[in-house]
């Protein structure tokens, strides 16, 4: 294995910053924010197709509007007038706009699905017929592969199906799925064995055991997900639909029973007006946008390279009470780093730093490099290149010696410096006739007790007894901004638990520094599982990330289980989301997207219901002011005529759907904060806004509509 | 002292008295509903009716018990009314027609007390005491039993056992309604309310015309008529009759009795769910609507245009000179906001907006504070709707008191809020479509329509008061309003008990800073808004054709 590959494989386990994956390298990604006008036009045919009543009936609110449109069409044909036809046209537009919202949301997914589909080119597979007994192979179509088949893939070939590497190691280009151009390492055994069909092997040769049936591969599932084909209504969507349906029924009853009352009052209403009143009152805004909100929520995850296997998982993410976060890579940087130099008695700190740097030049591990960097930043010691010191003999760091250093041939004899694990360096000192002072031992114990890793630095001149110069304190470095992030989560009511294999002492120190609420030290998969079950027994929802096969049970048990794409197939199967970037920090974003989805639903429901007040003030006087002139006092918007008033209300109703499509797709603005301030903000914005906006909107439309002949 | 000031002092005194009772009475009710011990008298009763008092019921069984008990009650009351003339203490009244007896039986069992008959002319002492007064007790107890079950839905976890209807019914009657009634019956007698077994007295009116007035066990029935938010008067004139409500003091006492249990129940609720702040939030919403309604109604009645009304100091038609505008408006607001339906003045004679307000009060769904038990469960269902919408806006699957509001919960809550408006509007719509039934109206135009709208609003919401002009003792109205009453009472109970069942099965969700707080002023405002908008929007067109059209013309 080449050294670059080692680095690459290290990299695969680490988070890949979002910014690195530029959109040019990720052709299947659709831009997040704004609505593409082209997409609207492209979605129009789909929107019209959705007028099929068999499709519409799934959305009770909009189905009522469609039935109303049919009724007014018939009425307008039977008794044509400008008013009748304007209402009819705008009612049809209302229905189409609602479908358009859904079609646009789906269209964004379809674009992604198409790019994915292109990766599903028909590959030929080299199936091993008698593996592992022999290497005999045959050429078969990729689609002919079955669960448990073994195939061999070499550099330049496309992996024909999902599976696990059972032999060999290779670098694989997964950009077709992740959008990330840097290749990743896949090797047999361990937690990086999963490969995805459609990705390309760049180097070496691997044997893959196929783990999916044809048509059920990861890419197939991705396509189904982003297209919305596998979309089912989520529990909360169902509950909201029930409420909306019942509001629709109430208003239906209110309007149907209004006719005999109106007849008694001497003002029987035309079918057109009654239908207009029903459509104005039922919650069409939210009814029209509800499914688009759900699809867009999944889509926002996809844009962040997270695939949710179900909408239910996205919703659950908003409800999460406890986040289990792996320490390494999520809370701390991947490796421990030198934090300070602690000199022994009688040794200058500059001398210690110099010796430490010198002895670490031959240490290529991240820890070693961090010592060089610390000496440079803290004490201005320039890192000498190894070639600079021609009279030096380098002692590189190895896992066996756990020590690195250098022997310098000076005038007064060989000058040796060593740095390494406390035990190894102590041995080196005593073997060469020296002793490690009590002060150094105390420093070592102190750093250990604080959860850090002590490295001892020792030197020896000529044949004199070596002596310990001091200790380097290595510690986990908490990523920047994590404490603030956790404070934010706490305000949102989410508890964070750090999971680590470290001993409790170390774990506590890091937990305190990072500001997590709790930690699980020396965690085994069983411990993790037990913790999840304990939290869930208390009624809490738990989210976690995982990659290894031994994480699979916990991923399945967690309410939100995010599997890393670098992980094993088993982990990916067990979780209900897959993060293609394999960035465990993303769990926090996932939670926020879940919350944003629910808030968008609530905000638009509130807005929709609050709208009704203004519509009443437009329509009721228009209907009855003729018989009860006093009711004209309710016409506080001073709308021009009964016809213009009703038409304006219906036009507003239709336009507000179009106007809110971008909000539905983007989601309302979400700033993490506690429930009270969120509620205050959203009630102010969407509740009061919903009361006021239609008064203004209807009045403005009326100012235009009043000039239409036949409406004045 | 001006009458306005006197009126407000009376309101203040009332608020003070209710506030004093809030904690002790609420705590006592909570204790009654949760205590493990049975009184000896109760144990004897359980033995007689064959009930295992310690066996809790599942919600369908609880519901069956409620319905069976109520069905038997209707049957018993109907029979008693139909045969009373052959029984002792019959006072020689004539036999009531079948449709009217059916309507009356349903009306009293459904805690509505809509009276399409005239009390003193149609009922003997036995029917009043053994029939109507008994139903006044037990129908009130049924309401409290049902709300107790809903509260248990919140407090109990992962169970399908929600309490025992027979125990709840017995305890509420024996430990709460009876003792309070006895004390206040004596107080009412002290103020001059009659309590005897006299027959008809012939008296001469001021104008010299002869009139025959019966005596009777009035005080004992009066007290539970109000305490149980029933409202069915011993006399046709109800609490405007001097034998039922002789003085200003008795009037004050009666309003107090109407409000005391409904306003104390939120405390029992807070107590039972282990967070008194939840009770304060609910009672705040109730109080807000009550105060606003009293203020607006008084305003409407005392500031009416028209020289005759202004010289009388306000709209005095249909009001007792003894009580005046303020005490009449206070009574009217309280009785229509509580599903009581007792009256000390005639709502039909109120100004257009005043009358419209009494109607709107009922349309709110009798929740502020509402009937005994039914008011609180109605408010809690609306709280669930408010929490659902607001909960979404804080980014979580909505939860109320630790219970998630999912599809099942919203189904029952939605059906609940659907029921009464449908009954009111369909009933009114059909009545307006039938020329014969329209003829029953006393007035023409918008006011005539209001009479019909009021009748169905009152029936479906189990209030029982009326815009008196309309003639309702016809086959059609007795049947139609009877149906509105029975469905308006028992369908919501079905949904409430089913909701309780769904809630009790859940595992509670712990509260976090991310949970929507339901005890803060913001939520009080939100819930008030939901009540106003959900109700206001439903009835706005109908109201526009009735009181609003009349008031704005």
């Amino acid at each position: 294995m080449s050294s670059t590959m080692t680095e690459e494989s290290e990299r695969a386990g680490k988070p890949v910053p979002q910014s690195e994956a530029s959109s040019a390298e990720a052709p299947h990604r659709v831009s997040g924010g704004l609505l593409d006008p082209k997409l609207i036009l492209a979605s129009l045919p789909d929107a019209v197709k959705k007028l099929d009543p068999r499709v519409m009936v799934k959305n009770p609110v909009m189905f009522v509007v469609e039935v109303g449109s049919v009724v007014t069409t018939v009425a307008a044909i039977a008794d044509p007038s400008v008013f009748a036809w304007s209402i009819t046209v705008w009612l049809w537009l209302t229905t189409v706009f609602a479908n358009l919202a859904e079609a646009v949301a789906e269209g964004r997914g379809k674009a992604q699905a198409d790019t994915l589909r292109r990766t599903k080119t028909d590959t030929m597979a080299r199936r091993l017929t008698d593996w592992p007994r022999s290497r005999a192979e045959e050429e078969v179509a990729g689609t002919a592969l079955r669960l448990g088949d073994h195939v061999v893939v070499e550099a330049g070939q496309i992996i024909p199906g999902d599976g696990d590497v059972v032999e060999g190691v290779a670098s694989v280009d997964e950009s077709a799925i992740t959008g990330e151009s840097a290749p990743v390492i896949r090797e047999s055994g361990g937690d990086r064995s999963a490969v995805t069909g459609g990705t390309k092997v760049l180097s070496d040769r691997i044997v893959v055991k196929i783990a999916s049936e044809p048509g059920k591969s990861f890419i197939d599932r991705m396509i189904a997900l982003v297209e919305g084909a596998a979309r089912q209504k989520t529990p909360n969507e169902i509950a909201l639909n029930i409420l909306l349906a019942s509001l629709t029924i109430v208003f239906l009853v209110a309007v149907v029973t209004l006719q005999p009352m109106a007849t008694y009052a001497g003002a029987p209403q035309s079918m057109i007006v009654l239908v207009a009143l029903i459509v104005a009152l039922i919650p069409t805004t939210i009814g029209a946008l509800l499914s688009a909100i759900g699809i867009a929520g999944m889509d926002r995850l996809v844009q962040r390279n997270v695939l949710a296997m179900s909408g239910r998982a996205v919703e659950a993410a908003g409800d999460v009470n406890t986040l289990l976060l792996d320490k390494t890579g999520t809370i701390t940087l991947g490796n421990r780093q030198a934090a300070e130099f602690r000199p022994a008695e009688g040794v200058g700190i500059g001398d210690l730093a110099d010796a430490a740097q010198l002895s670490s030049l031959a240490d290529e591990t991240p820890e070693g490099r961090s010592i060089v960097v610390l000496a440079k930043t803290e004490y201005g010691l320039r890192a000498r290149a190894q070639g600079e010191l021609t009279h030096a003999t380098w002692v590189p760091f190895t896992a066996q010696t756990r020590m690195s250093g250098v022997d310098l041939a000076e005038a007064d004899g060989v000058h040796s410096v060593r740095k390494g694990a406390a035990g190894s360096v102590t041995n080196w000192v005593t073997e060469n006739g020296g002793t490690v002072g009590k002060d150094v031992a105390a420093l070592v114990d102190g750093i250990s007790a604080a959860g850090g890793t002590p490295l001892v630095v020792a030197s020896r001149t000529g044949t004199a007894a070596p002596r310990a110069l001091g200790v380097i304190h290595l510690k986990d470095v908490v990523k920047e901004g994590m404490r603030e992030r956790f404070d934010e989560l706490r305000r949102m009511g989410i508890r964070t638990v750090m999971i680590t294999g470290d001993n409790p002492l170390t774990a506590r120190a890091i937990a305190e520094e990072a500001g997590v609420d709790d930690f699980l030290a020396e965690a085994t998969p069983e411990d993790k599982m037990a913790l999840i079950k304990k939290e869930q027994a208390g009624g809490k929802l738990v989210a976690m990330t995982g990659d290894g096969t031994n994480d699979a049970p916990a991923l399945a048990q967690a309410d939100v289980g995010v599997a890393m794409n670098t992980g094993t197939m088993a982990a990916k199967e067990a979780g209900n989301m897959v993060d293609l970037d394999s960035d465990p920090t993303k769990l926090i974003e996932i939670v926020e997207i879940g919350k944003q989805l629910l808030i968008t639903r609530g905000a638009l429901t509130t807005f929709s219901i609050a709208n009704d007040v203004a519509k009443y003030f437009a329509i009721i006087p228009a209907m009855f002011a003729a018989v009860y002139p006093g009711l004209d006092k309710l016409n506080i918007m001073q709308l021009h005529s009964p016809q213009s008033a009703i038409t304006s209300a219906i036009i507003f109703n239709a336009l507000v759907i179009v106007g809110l499509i971008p909000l539905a797709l983007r989601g309302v603005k979400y700033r993490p904060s506690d429930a009270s301030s969120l509620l205050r903000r959203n009630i102010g914005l969407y509740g009061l806004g919903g009361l006021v906006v239609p008064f203004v909107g209807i009045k403005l439309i009326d100012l235009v509509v009043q000039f239409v002949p036949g409406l004045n | 002292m001006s009458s306005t000031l006197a009126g407000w002092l009376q309101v203040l005194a009332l608020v003070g008295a209710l506030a004093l009772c809030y904690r002790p009475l609420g705590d006592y009710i909570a204790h009654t509903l949760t205590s493990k011990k049975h009184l000896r008298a109760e144990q004897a009763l359980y033995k007689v009716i064959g009930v295992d008092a310690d066996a809790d019921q599942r919600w369908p069984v609880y519901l069956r018990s409620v319905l069976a008990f109520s069905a038997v009650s209707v049957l018993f009351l109907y029979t008693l009314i139909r045969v009373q003339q052959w029984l002792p203490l019959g006072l020689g009244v004539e036999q009531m027609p079948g449709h009217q007896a059916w309507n009356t039986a349903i009306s009293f069992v459904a805690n509505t007390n809509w009276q399409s008959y005239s009390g003193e002319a149609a009922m003997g002492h036995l029917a009043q005491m053994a029939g109507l007064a008994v139903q006044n007790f037990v129908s009130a107890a049924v309401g409290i039993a049902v709300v107790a079950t809903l509260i248990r839905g919140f407090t109990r976890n992962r169970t399908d056992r929600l309490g025992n209807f027979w125990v709840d019914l017995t305890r509420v009657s024996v430990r709460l309604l009876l003792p309070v009634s006895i004390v206040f019956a004596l107080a009412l007698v002290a103020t001059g309310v009659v309590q005897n077994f006299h027959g008809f007295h012939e008296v001469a009116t001021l104008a010299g015309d002869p009139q025959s007035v019966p005596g009777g066990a009035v005080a004992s029935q009066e007290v539970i008529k109000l305490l149980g938010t029933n409202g069915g008067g011993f006399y046709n004139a109800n609490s405007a009759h001097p034998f039922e409500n002789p003085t200003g003091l008795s009037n004050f006492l009666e309003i107090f009795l109407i409000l005391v249990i409904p306003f104390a129940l939120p405390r029992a609720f807070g107590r039972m769910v282990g967070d008194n702040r939840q009770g304060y939030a609910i009672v705040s919403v109730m109080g807000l609507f009550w105060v606003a309604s009293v203020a607006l109604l008084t305003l409407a009645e005392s500031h009416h245009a028209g020289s005759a009304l202004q010289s009388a100091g306000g709209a005095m038609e249909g009001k007792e000179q003894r009580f005046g505008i303020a005490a009449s408006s206070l009574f009217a607001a309280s009785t229509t906001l509580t599903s009581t339906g007792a009256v000390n003045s005639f709502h039909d004679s109120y100004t257009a907006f005043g009358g419209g307000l009494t109607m709107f009060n009922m349309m709110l769904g009798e929740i502020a504070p509402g009937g005994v038990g039914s008011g609180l469960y109605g408010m809690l269902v609306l709280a669930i709707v408010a929490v659902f919408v607001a909960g979404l806006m804080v980014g979580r699957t909505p939860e109320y008191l630790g219970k998630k509001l999912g599809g099942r919960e919203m189904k029952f809550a939605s059906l609940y809020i659907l029921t009464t408006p449908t009954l009111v509007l369909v009933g009114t719509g059909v009545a307006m479509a039938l020329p014969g039934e329209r003829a029953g109206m006393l007035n023409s135009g918008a006011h005539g329509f209001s009479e019909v709208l009021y009748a169905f609003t009152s029936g479906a919401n189990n209030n029982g008061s009326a815009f008196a002009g309309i003639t309702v003792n016809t086959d059609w109205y007795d049947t139609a309003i009877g149906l509105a009453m029975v469905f308006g009472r028992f369908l919501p109970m079905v949904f409430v008990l089913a909701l309780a069942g769904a809630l009790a099965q859940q595992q509670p969700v712990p509260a976090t800073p991310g949970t929507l707080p339901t005890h803060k002023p913001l939520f009080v405002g939100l819930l008030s808004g939901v009540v106003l908008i959900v109700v206001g929007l439903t009835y706005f067109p109908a109201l526009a054709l009735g009181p609003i059209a009349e008031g704005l013309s």
Side-chain angles (χ1 to χ4, degrees), chain A residues 236 242 246 250 257 260-261 264 318-319 492-493 536-540 595 598-599 602 606 616 628 630 633 675-676 679 682-683, chain B residues 389 392-397 407 414 418 425 429 432 438 445-446 449 507 510 512-517 526 537-538 541 549 552:
Chain A
N236 175 261
I242 290 171
S246 87
V250 167
T257 57
M261 305 179 195
Y264 162 78
D319 283 351
M492 286 155 66
Q536 286 174 336
K540 291 178 179 162
K595 286 198 178 293
L598 294 171
I599 295 176
T606 312
Y616 265 133
Y628 294 123
K633 286 177 195 153
S676 285
L679 183 62
N682 289 325
I683 287 184
Chain B
V389 177
L392 285 178
M393 282 197 286
V394 304
R396 289 177 65 85
T397 303
S414 295
L418 201 63
L425 294 171
M432 297 317 290
R438 286 208 299 264
F449 169 71
Q507 181 188 16
T512 69
T515 311
L516 172 82
L526 179 82
L537 291 179
T538 316
L552 288 176

Side-chain angles (χ1 to χ4, degrees), chain B residues 261-300:
Chain B
I261 292 181
F263 267 126
L265 275 171
R267 169 71 183 192
F269 160 70
R271 189 95 196 165
M272 284 169 79
V273 300
D275 183 1
N276 287 328
R277 297 172 309 174
Q278 303 290 347
Y280 282 115
I282 295 291
V283 85
S284 304
V285 179
M286 292 174 166
L288 217 61
F289 276 96
W290 179 76
V291 168
S293 178
V294 169
L296 288 173
L297 197 53
T298 312
L299 191 77

